[in-house]
């Protein structure tokens, strides 16, 4: 191994590394998919203008990945999570995506996603300790 220094990355260093991987990946992706990257984020506000639910997702090539789906605990069971999830799924269809994927923990919402037609692709036990980490996918 050569004599290189291992350093803690700054935000700028991290962005450089990220961009290098994106460029490498793009060189292996078809031209029609290469530039398909878009954040798709939505939220629900109450009458007071406060955000009570939101979804953060990313269109990446031929799928959408949901990063975060959150509903204020006091606002749950009112359909906001379903509304947000269905909005992203509809956009995925409109944008001709093949699937939607996401991950969740056992203390979050695995049953919610199963109810919406998602299937488990991977399960990691004891992640975090005492819980399970699920990865889901829904074919469109």
């Amino acid at each position: 191994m050569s004599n290189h220094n291992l350093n803690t990355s700054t935000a700028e260093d991290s962005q450089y590394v990220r961009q290098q991987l994106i460029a490498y990946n793009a060189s292996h992706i078809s031209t029609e998919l290469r530039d398909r990257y878009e954040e798709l984020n939505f939220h629900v506000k109450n009458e007071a203008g406060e955000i009570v639910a939101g979804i953060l997702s990313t269109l990446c090539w031929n799928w959408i990945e949901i990063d975060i789906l959150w509903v204020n605990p006091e606002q749950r069971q009112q359909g906001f999570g379903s509304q947000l999830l269905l909005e992203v799924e509809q956009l995925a269809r409109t944008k001709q995506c093949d699937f939607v994927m996401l991950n969740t923990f056992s203390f979050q919402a695995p049953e919610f996603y199963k109810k919406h037609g998602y299937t488990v692709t991977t399960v990691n036990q004891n992640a975090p300790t005492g819980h399970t980490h699920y990865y889901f996918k829904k074919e469109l």
Side-chain angles (χ1 to χ4, degrees):
M1 184 175 197
S2 62
N3 220 5
H4 288 79
N5 294 325
L6 179 65
N7 300 290
T8 301
S9 294
T10 65
E12 184 179 295
D13 298 333
S14 297
Q15 184 62 21
Y16 174 81
V17 170
R18 181 175 288 105
Q19 290 305 315
Q20 294 309 302
L21 181 60
I22 288 169
Y24 174 80
N25 290 348
S27 73
H28 291 82
I29 304 301
S30 66
T31 305
E32 59 272 2
L33 289 178
R34 190 171 295 154
D35 295 325
R36 283 179 44 107
Y37 183 89
E38 176 183 0
E39 289 187 15
L40 303 169
N41 303 326
F42 304 95
H43 63 271
V44 176
K45 289 185 177 181
N46 64 15
E47 302 79 26
E50 303 163 323
I51 296 175
V52 297
I55 192 166
L56 308 179
S57 61
T58 306
L59 167 70
C60 185
W61 301 327
N62 61 310
W63 74 87
I64 289 181
E65 187 158 350
I66 297 173
D67 300 311
I68 293 174
L69 174 57
W70 169 80
V71 178
N72 182 312
E74 296 173 7
Q75 304 296 318
R76 293 185 181 158
Q77 304 299 317
Q78 295 184 41
F80 297 134
S82 295
Q83 178 185 4
L84 291 163
L85 186 62
L86 293 172
E87 178 68 22
V88 168
E89 289 176 7
Q90 184 54 46
L91 273 171
R93 288 181 184 90
T94 299
K95 293 178 180 285
Q96 300 178 324
C97 292
D98 297 322
F99 59 92
V100 177
M101 66 181 186
L102 58 91
N103 69 87
T104 191
F105 298 103
S106 53
F107 55 85
Q108 290 178 326
E111 296 307 314
F112 169 81
Y113 295 113
K114 289 177 186 176
K115 180 178 86 171
H116 284 281
Y118 287 77
T119 56
V120 175
T121 60
T122 304
V123 176
N124 292 312
Q125 301 293 340
N126 212 31
T129 303
H131 300 282
T132 305
H133 193 172
Y134 296 93
Y135 290 82
F136 282 91
K137 181 179 181 183
K138 182 175 185 178
E139 299 285 343
L140 300 175

